[in-house]
C-alpha cells in the first residue's frame, strides 16, 4: 500500500526506535514491553523522532485524544520525507485497534497498524512490511494472551514500577471504547506476575503498581490451580522482600469486594490511596451509563474503606455532560464530591465515541453547558486537592526517593499518596525510603525535611 524503502530496516545492526506514548498507564507499560520485543532485533530507543522506526502508542478514550494521532502523523511525514522514506511508521494502541485500515486511508505513509493485543507479533509484522514493501495491519484479538508470548520484562523502570496483571473489560459502560479497543477481561496467572515482580525488584523497584483496565476484577490462576482474588495476590506480593509499597489501579466500584477492602486494613504494604472512578453522583445518569452501581453504593464503599484504613485518600474520574444530565443530576455529582472529598480527580466533558451506545442517545448536552458545569466541578476538585495537600503540613510519613529534584541540592520522591515530595540539601540514594516531616504544600507537590532520627541513623 505504501512504498517502504527497506534499506535501514533490513540490516541486522543497530536501528533507532522512537516510541510516543499517549493515554493511560497501561499504554506506558505496553510501550516498555514493545521496546523489550524490539531490542533483540537491534532496535535501541532514541529521544527524537528522526529514527528508523517510530511507534505511536495511541489512546481512543476521547475524541481529542484520538485526534492527536493524525496531527502528529502529519508532522512526522515531513521527517520521513527528509529521510527519503527510510523510516517505518507504526501506529499501535487503542486508535489502531479501533480504526485499523482507516488510519492507512487517512495517512498512507503509515507502514504498520498494530492493535493492542498483537505486540508480541511485532517482529513478524515488521518482517512482513519489509518483505512485502507494503503496509500491514494486525488488529486481531488472538486467542493466546499476548502476555504469555511477550519476552520477559527487561526495561528497568526504577524505584516505582508498573506491572500489568489484567487487561480488557466486560463492563460495557455506554460511553466507553475500552471493551472494544482492549477486548474481553483477561487475568494473568499468579506465577507470571510474581516472576515479573521479582525481575522489577531486581531492577530496583521498591513500589509496584498493579495495572488493569479493571484491575480489581482480576481473578488469576494460583500455583494451587485455584482462582485467586486480588486480595490474595496482594498478600503474596507483600511477602516479597525489598518490595516496600503496593498499589493497584484502575478499580471499578462493583468489584470492590469485602476481602479487597479488608486488605487495606491487613496488608501493611498497600498504600492508603485508591483511584476509584465514580463518573457521576446521579443515579439516573449512573444507570444510563450502565455503571450498575448507585451513588449510595459508592458512598458505602468509601465508608467501608475509611473504616478499614482511616488514613486512606481517594482519587476519582468524572464525566460531565453525559446525555440527559439535568441540573439536578449535576447538583447530585457536586453533592457527592463535597461529601467524599477527593485528594485528586480527573474530570472531562463527555465525548461521543463512535460505536458506543451513548453516542446515539437523543438527549446530548450542548458543549457550552457541559463546559460550564465542568468548570464548576473542577474548581471544587482543585480546592479539595489543595486542601488535602495543605493538610499534610506537619505530618510525618515515609517518602520513597526517586532522584534529584528540579533545583540543585534537592532530592525528590513520592508520598504514600503519590504526591511529589521535595527535600532540600540532602543526598539520598535513589530507591531509599526515609521518614520526613512535611513543611509546606504547593498545589501539586510538598516540601519536607528529613526526620532527625533518620539523619542520625
Ligand atoms: N476502567 C475505568 C476507567 C477507564 S477509562 C473505570 O471503569 O472507571 C478512564 C476514564 O476516562 C474513565 O473513568 C472516564 O471518566 C473517562 N472516559 C471514558 N470514556 C469517556 C468518554 N466517552 N467521554 C469522556 N470521558 C470518558
Ligand atoms: Fe470503560 Fe466502564 Fe470498562 Fe471502565 S468499566 S473500562 S469505564 S467500560
Ligand atoms: Fe486510552 Fe486505550 Fe488506555 S483508549 S485510556 S489508551 S485503554
Amino acid at each position: 500500500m505504501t512504498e517502504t524503502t527497506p534499506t535501514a530496516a533490513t540490516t541486522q545492526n543497530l536501528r533507532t526506535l522512537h516510541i510516543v506514548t499517549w493515554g493511560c498507564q497501561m499504554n506506558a507499560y505496553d510501550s516498555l514491553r514493545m521496546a523489550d520485543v524490539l531490542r533483540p532485533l537491534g532496535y535501541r530507543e532514541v529521544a527524537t523522532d528522526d529514527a528508523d522506526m517510530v511507534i505511536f502508542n495511541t489512546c481512543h478514550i476521547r475524541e481529542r485524544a484520538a485526534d492527536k494521532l493524525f496531527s502528529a502523523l502529519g508532522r512526522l511525514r515531513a521527517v520521513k520525507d527528509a529521510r527519503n522514506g527510510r523510516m517505518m511508521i507504526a501506529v499501535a494502541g487503542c486508535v489502531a485497534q479501533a480504526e485499523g485500515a482507516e488510519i492507512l486511508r487517512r495517512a498512507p505513509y503509515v507502514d504498520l497498524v498494530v492493535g493492542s493485543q498483537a505486540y508480541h507479533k511485532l517482529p513478524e509484522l515488521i518482517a512482513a512490511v519489509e518483505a512485502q514493501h507494503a503496509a500491514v495491519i494486525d488488529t486481531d484479538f488472538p486467542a493466546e494472551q499476548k502476555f504469555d508470548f511477550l519476552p520477559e520484562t527487561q526495561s528497568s523502570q526504577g524505584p516505582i514500577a508498573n506491572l500489568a496483571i489484567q487487561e480488557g473489560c466486560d463492563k460495557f459502560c455506554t460511553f466507553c471504547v475500552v471493551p472494544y479497543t482492549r477486548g474481553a477481561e483477561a487475568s494473568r496467572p499468579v506465577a507470571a506476575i510474581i516472576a515479573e515482580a521479582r525481575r522489577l525488584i531486581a531492577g530496583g523497584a521498591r513500589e509496584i503498581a498493579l495495572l488493569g483496565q479493571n484491575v480489581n476484577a482480576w481473578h488469576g490462576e494460583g500455583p494451587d490451580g485455584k482462582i485467586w482474588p486480588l486480595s490474595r495476590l496482594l498478600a503474596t506480593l507483600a511477602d516479597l522482600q525489598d518490595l516496600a509499597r503496593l498499589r493497584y489501579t484502575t478499580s471499578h466500584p462493583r468489584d470492590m469486594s469485602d476481602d479487597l477492602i479488608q486488605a487495606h486494613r491487613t496488608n501493611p504494604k498497600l498504600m492508603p490511596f485508591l483511584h476509584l472512578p465514580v463518573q457521576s453522583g446521579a443515579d439516573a445518569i449512573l444507570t444510563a451509563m450502565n455503571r450498575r452501581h448507585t451513588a449510595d453504593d459508592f458512598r458505602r464503599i468509601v465508608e467501608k474503606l475509611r473504616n478499614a484504613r482511616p488514613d486512606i485518600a481517594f482519587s476519582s474520574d468524572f464525566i460531565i455532560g453525559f446525555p440527559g444530565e439535568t441540573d439536578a443530576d449535576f447538583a447530585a455529582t457536586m453533592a457527592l464530591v463535597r461529601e467524599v472529598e477527593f485528594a485528586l480527580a480527573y474530570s472531562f466533558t463527555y465525548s461521543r465515541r463512535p460505536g458506543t451506545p451513548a453516542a446515539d442517545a437523543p438527549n446530548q448536552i450542548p458543549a457550552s453547558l457541559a463546559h460550564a458545569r465542568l468548570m464548576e466541578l473542577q474548581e471544587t476538585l482543585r480546592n479539595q486537592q489543595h486542601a488535602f495537600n495543605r493538610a499534610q503540613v506537619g505530618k510525618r510519613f515515609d517518602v520513597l526517593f526517586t532522584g534529584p529534584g528540579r533545583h540543585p541540592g534537592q532530592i525528590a520522591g513520592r508520598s504514600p499518596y503519590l504526591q511529589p515530595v521535595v527535600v532540600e540539601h540532602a543526598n539520598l540514594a535513589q530507591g531509599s525510603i526515609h521518614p520526613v516531616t512535611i513543611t509546606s504544600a504547593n498545589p501539586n507537590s510538598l516540601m519536607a525535611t528529613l526526620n532527625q532520627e533518620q539523619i542520625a541513623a
Side-chain angles (χ1 to χ4, degrees), residues 30-173:
D30 283 344
S31 290
L32 294 173
R33 302 305 300 265
M34 283 193 265
D36 288 341
V37 172
L38 294 177
R39 205 166 291 123
L41 302 188
Y43 285 99
R44 67 180 168 84
E45 278 193 85
V46 293
T48 72
D49 60 9
D50 185 3
D52 297 319
M53 170 130 181
V54 177
I55 302 178
F56 289 108
N57 193 5
T58 58
C59 175
H60 201 241
I61 202 82
R62 284 169 292 270
E63 192 176 357
R64 200 179 286 176
D67 284 347
K68 269 192 191 163
L69 171 65
F70 291 101
S71 42
L73 278 174
R75 287 194 300 273
L76 191 63
R77 181 185 198 169
V79 185
K80 183 170 181 168
D81 287 347
R83 292 172 62 98
N84 295 323
R86 286 187 300 107
M87 172 191 285
M88 194 180 289
I89 302 180
V91 177
C94 291
V95 180
Q97 193 65 53
E99 302 206 355
E102 174 66 11
I103 295 172
L104 295 178
R105 201 189 59 73
R106 284 181 66 180
Y109 43 91
V110 167
D111 302 286
L112 176 60
V113 176
V114 53
S116 53
Q117 301 307 318
Y119 300 149
H120 56 296
K121 293 196 275 180
L122 272 171
E124 59 192 89
L125 296 172
I126 291 171
V129 173
E130 288 171 349
Q132 297 167 18
H133 297 253
V136 168
I137 306 181
D138 187 334
T139 52
D140 287 348
F141 284 128
E144 77 266 15
Q145 268 202 43
K146 79 171 172 210
F147 291 119
D148 297 344
F149 290 86
L150 283 167
E152 290 183 354
T153 323
Q154 298 150 16
S155 300
S156 170
Q157 297 185 42
I160 299 180
N162 288 329
L163 197 177
I165 64 165
Q166 183 277 343
E167 192 168 11
C169 180
D170 296 336
K171 296 251 179 337
F172 291 93
C173 299

Side-chain angles (χ1 to χ4, degrees), residues 129-416:
V129 173
E130 288 171 349
Q132 297 167 18
H133 297 253
V136 168
I137 306 181
D138 187 334
T139 52
D140 287 348
F141 284 128
E144 77 266 15
Q145 268 202 43
K146 79 171 172 210
F147 291 119
D148 297 344
F149 290 86
L150 283 167
E152 290 183 354
T153 323
Q154 298 150 16
S155 300
S156 170
Q157 297 185 42
I160 299 180
N162 288 329
L163 197 177
I165 64 165
Q166 183 277 343
E167 192 168 11
C169 180
D170 296 336
K171 296 251 179 337
F172 291 93
C173 299
T174 55
F175 52 80
C176 184
V177 296
V178 171
Y180 314 98
T181 63
R182 292 282 173 163
E185 242 172 56
S187 297
R188 293 178 74 187
V190 173
I193 295 167
I194 303 284
E196 187 165 331
R198 285 188 197 282
R199 281 193 295 275
L200 291 170
I201 294 165
R206 306 292 318 275
E207 170 172 327
I208 291 182
L210 305 179
L211 300 185
Q213 266 93 31
N214 265 300
V215 74
N216 57 343
W218 179 88
H219 55 288
E221 192 183 322
D224 53 2
K226 298 207 173 82
I227 297 298
W228 286 21
L230 181 59
S231 56
R232 187 162 176 203
L233 175 67
L234 287 164
T236 302
L237 286 168
D239 288 338
L240 293 176
Q241 251 197 346
D242 294 333
L243 181 65
R245 295 173 162 195
L246 277 166
R247 307 176 188 276
Y248 56 94
T249 198
T250 292
S251 298
H252 191 289
R254 268 183 71 85
D255 295 313
M256 221 49 235
S257 55
D258 283 336
D259 60 305
L260 184 55
I261 291 173
Q262 286 316 309
H264 285 268
R265 188 194 302 276
T266 55
N267 189 326
K269 294 189 180 173
L270 201 48
M271 288 293 101
F273 185 67
L274 184 67
H275 183 61
L276 194 60
V278 63
Q279 316 297 356
S280 170
D283 288 344
I285 297 300
L286 290 168
T287 302
M289 287 176 163
N290 192 32
R291 291 291 289 181
R292 293 183 291 157
H293 63 80
T294 63
D296 279 347
D297 291 336
F298 185 83
R299 288 183 175 90
R300 271 191 292 276
I301 293 165
V302 165
E303 191 189 320
K304 280 194 208 171
L305 281 158
R306 283 187 166 142
N307 285 335
R309 183 79 204 237
D311 60 347
I312 198 167
F314 294 94
S315 78
S316 199
D317 292 344
F318 295 88
I319 296 178
I320 298 306
F322 185 81
E325 185 187 73
T326 63
D327 285 342
D329 292 331
F330 176 63
T333 299
M334 290 298 291
L336 180 85
V337 167
R338 279 192 290 268
E339 215 176 304
V340 174
E341 295 189 31
F342 294 95
L344 188 69
Y346 305 89
S347 52
F348 297 91
T349 55
Y350 167 68
S351 173
R352 273 170 103 156
R353 306 309 289 129
T356 60
D360 300 325
N363 43 4
Q364 302 287 327
I365 302 295
S368 57
L369 176 58
H371 182 74
R373 287 178 182 163
L374 182 70
M375 292 300 105
E376 188 181 334
L377 172 74
Q378 286 185 340
E379 192 188 341
T380 300
L381 290 170
R382 213 168 21 245
N383 290 339
Q384 291 189 350
Q385 182 182 336
H386 295 179
F388 180 76
N389 284 354
R390 277 196 308 274
Q392 310 302 317
V393 177
K395 286 201 179 147
R396 301 154 73 92
F397 49 58
D398 286 343
V399 167
L400 167 54
F401 287 95
T402 49
R406 209 176 297 162
H407 302 292
Q410 288 184 337
I411 176 143
R414 290 291 165 135
S415 80

